[in-house]
Amino acid sequence: MTQHTVIPINWLFVVQNFELKSFDDSAAKIEIVKPILNSKYVKSHSLICSERTYDDYFKPIAIENLKKIKLQVNSQPCVLYGAGLHTTQNLSLFSEFNVVAVADKNELLWGTNIQSIPVIPVSDIGDYGEHVVISSKAFESSIYDSLTAQYPSLNVHKVYQSTHRTSAYFEGLYQDIQFKIEETKPDVIFYSPTQPGDCLPFEYWHKLKASYPHIKYVTLWWDYDEDDEGSPYLQFERDCLTWADLCIENSNGSRLKKMRAGLSPYERHTNVEKVKFLPSVFDPTLFYEDTEIKKDIDIAVFGTAAGSRGYWIEELSKRYGERFQHIGGFLHGGDILSIEDYADSLRRTRICVNTQTYSFREQCKGKVRETIASGAILVEEENTETKLFIGDSDACLFFNDLEALFSHLDRLLIDEHYFETCYQHASDFRDHNLNVDSWTKSILDSVGITKEPPNEL
């Protein structure tokens, strides 16, 4: 039998970082760069990282625009649009306004409050005031278009006004990529995007592909939004499909079937065969099991209490008291947990409860792979996407209501044999599926770079 020969690859990583974290704490580093660099498919690599933080770049834009909006609104009642993280993290930006309500499309949030401000349906905005201030950077343009079309009598105000989409910034990034290509001669460019409005426009990728057609171009879709055909995420996807050789769908595999059938909202998606459901693996130097570490956290939920997750956190805290911990997240103490502290806490956790954030959007979240890789038992809110990822395995336990969740947790806490059985199922799945070599090879196979010849007898 002939030995397989693995021919290493020259990689160029182009990262446009999200504004709330540095590259060292970013998903791009732990889900793309580090896993690939820890695989056997690397000869050389280079990195371009374009970072514009919220506090240093975007917040000053918001403050300046809000001053102008305040001159128009004065002390009249106004409604904020968006009850998500942007509002909860930046409510102080609107302290000079007479905010009487927060509107949101998520019906689970209606009737709740954000610091005593009621959350209302979008259809009720007119009952509260004539002025609406959009509290969303990522979706600002699409929200504006939708509101002004549906409610023409409202005065709708943008906080960012897309002023961050400057041609000088994109031209500089494009020239940096060109220079790095000439210098390092990559075989593959892996592009990690940011919010759609901040991404390098597709025209630049077309120019790169025309100049360097021998390079394979790969990108990963961090998020998705199926609400309407005008979503900026959907437009970004359509743009990617015109230039990328592979678009990795990282969290929602079910929609690929709709995409390939041309069903709504994907009627205008072309070249859909380029999309693959390949949920990323994580930096193996961060997310790993350490049997020498004492597991001193019985039950934990990690991350922000945004959306419906806050309900589960409250109920778990009431039932399990000190045996339960809510760790990290913007709405828990106000600080972002460093990636090292998060990984360390996950290794110390016996049982990790993971939920969906919003009822209208199902995802196979990164928490699924991080938890299993770190040796904790995952108790997961039932969703199609995680089931699609784990297949026929018993890598995690699912719940769909409070009774089922408590049933799983109570049994895991008192029945050691059951705990060990669940642990072994997760361990077997980790060993066979959360592997940096197999994930990287899937990428290379998908773009037609076959580096391992078939067996020869």
Side-chain angles (χ1 to χ4, degrees):
M1 181 179 294
T2 303
Q3 291 289 325
H4 286 189
T5 301
V6 179
I7 303 174
I9 302 297
N10 297 326
W11 298 81
L12 169 57
F13 300 100
V14 178
V15 176
Q16 285 194 264
N17 224 40
F18 288 88
E19 65 268 17
L20 295 176
K21 286 192 174 185
S22 68
F23 174 71
D24 284 340
D25 268 359
S26 70
K29 180 179 179 181
I30 64 172
E31 294 188 57
I32 295 174
V33 178
K34 291 289 284 185
I36 289 175
L37 295 187
N38 276 277
S39 78
K40 60 186 178 182
Y41 297 99
V42 180
K43 178 181 180 182
S44 68
H45 81 280
S46 54
L47 171 71
I48 294 172
C49 184
S50 178
E51 296 185 278
R52 295 196 293 186
T53 67
Y54 184 80
D55 285 344
D56 291 341
Y57 186 83
F58 294 101
K59 190 173 182 179
I61 293 174
I63 291 173
E64 189 62 31
N65 287 332
L66 283 169
K67 290 178 181 177
K68 299 174 183 177
I69 296 170
K70 185 63 170 63
L71 293 175
Q72 302 174 50
V73 176
N74 294 313
S75 60
Q76 296 179 69
C78 72
V79 176
L80 297 183
Y81 186 102
L85 281 177
H86 186 277
T87 297
T88 54
Q89 291 164 204
N90 298 288
L91 196 58
S92 61
L93 286 176
F94 308 100
S95 60
E96 299 296 319
F97 290 78
N98 179 18
V99 179
V100 296
V102 178
D104 200 278
K105 64 185 177 183
N106 184 1
E107 61 184 38
L108 292 179
L109 299 179
W110 300 344
T112 64
N113 293 278
I114 297 177
Q115 294 188 19
S116 78
I117 303 171
V119 179
I120 64 171
V122 177
S123 58
D124 290 355
I125 291 176
D127 297 335
Y128 287 79
E130 298 178 356
H131 291 277
V132 182
V133 180
I134 300 172
S135 178
S136 171
K137 188 175 80 66
F139 293 97
E140 183 177 75
S141 293
S142 61
I143 292 171
Y144 180 85
D145 292 342
S146 176
L147 282 178
T148 53
Q150 194 169 1
Y151 305 100
S153 63
L154 293 176
N155 296 303
V156 184
H157 306 276
K158 295 181 180 181
V159 174
Y160 299 95
Q161 301 184 29
S162 300
T163 53
H164 48 287
R165 285 187 66 94
T166 58
S167 57
Y169 167 70
F170 291 129
E171 189 65 31
L173 179 57
Y174 170 68
Q175 291 175 4
D176 288 345
I177 297 172
Q178 276 192 309
F179 176 81
K180 194 62 73 173
I181 289 174
E182 295 292 343
E183 180 185 42
T184 65
K185 303 295 190 293
D187 301 299
V188 178
I189 294 179
F190 201 131
Y191 174 52
S192 175
T194 180
Q195 304 287 8
D198 303 328
C199 287
L200 184 67
F202 69 93
E203 294 92 346
Y204 289 100
W205 290 108
H206 282 293
K207 290 196 290 185
L208 288 169
K209 195 161 187 176
S211 299
Y212 309 101
H214 60 285
I215 296 175
K216 299 298 183 181
Y217 297 82
V218 178
T219 190
L220 184 149
W221 294 343
W222 290 119
D223 206 351
Y224 73 97
D225 178 22
E226 296 188 349
D227 280 351
D228 60 80
E229 196 272 347
S231 160
Y233 280 99
L234 291 176
Q235 185 56 54
F236 172 69
E237 292 171 6
R238 289 190 283 267
D239 291 342
C240 286
L241 289 167
T242 66
W243 62 263
D245 296 295
L246 170 64
C247 297
I248 296 174
E249 169 50 64
N250 202 37
S251 62
N252 186 291
S254 296
R255 70 192 190 112
L256 268 63
K257 184 176 181 180
K258 294 169 64 178
M259 201 178 292
R260 287 167 184 151
L263 302 178
S264 178
Y266 307 111
E267 298 96 326
R268 295 197 290 126
H269 278 51
T270 59
N271 305 313
V272 294
E273 71 281 354
K274 296 179 178 180
V275 188
K276 307 290 184 185
F277 183 53
L278 294 174
S280 51
V281 296
F282 284 76
D283 179 0
T285 68
L286 273 176
F287 295 95
Y288 59 89
E289 182 180 21
D290 187 341
T291 56
E292 300 299 316
I293 292 179
K294 180 182 178 181
K295 289 187 175 290
D296 55 358
I297 302 171
D298 283 329
I299 306 168
V301 168
F302 291 85
T304 177
S308 56
R309 190 180 295 128
Y311 163 77
W312 301 106
I313 291 170
E314 182 179 356
E315 294 298 325
L316 286 165
S317 182
K318 286 191 295 188
R319 183 175 179 91
Y320 295 102
E322 293 183 356
R323 300 195 76 174
F324 168 72
Q325 293 189 37
H326 173 209
I327 303 173
F330 290 105
L331 307 185
H332 189 67
D335 295 324
I336 305 174
L337 199 66
S338 74
I339 193 66
E340 292 82 9
D341 288 342
Y342 164 55
D344 177 69
S345 297
L346 198 48
R347 279 192 293 276
R348 292 166 44 217
T349 299
R350 298 184 73 218
I351 307 164
C352 177
V353 176
N354 186 48
T355 75
Q356 297 294 298
T357 308
Y358 300 110
S359 60
F360 57 83
R361 183 173 69 182
E362 286 193 348
Q363 295 174 298
C364 176
K365 291 181 171 291
K367 202 82 67 205
V368 171
R369 286 99 75 194
E370 293 165 337
T371 298
I372 296 173
S374 301
I377 290 180
L378 175 65
V379 183
E380 171 85 341
E381 185 177 4
E382 189 164 323
N383 70 90
T384 303
E385 308 315 319
T386 300
K387 288 186 173 182
L388 183 63
F389 173 63
I390 68 170
D392 296 330
S393 79
D394 295 314
C396 66
L397 301 170
F398 289 100
F399 68 93
N400 55 14
D401 56 30
L402 205 57
E403 181 180 358
L405 173 59
F406 288 163
S407 177
H408 284 315
L409 296 178
D410 290 347
R411 188 176 179 188
L412 287 167
L413 290 172
I414 65 174
D415 188 337
E416 192 62 31
H417 176 71
Y418 180 64
F419 183 94
E420 289 299 324
T421 299
C422 294
Y423 166 82
Q424 192 58 54
H425 287 315
S427 180
D428 291 342
F429 180 84
R430 177 188 66 213
D431 293 343
H432 288 93
N433 297 278
L434 300 183
N435 182 282
V436 294
D437 285 332
S438 59
W439 185 72
T440 306
K441 186 176 186 299
S442 294
I443 293 170
L444 296 175
D445 287 346
S446 296
V447 296
I449 302 178
T450 303
K451 292 302 173 184
E452 291 182 325
N455 289 337
E456 296 180 12
L457 298 180

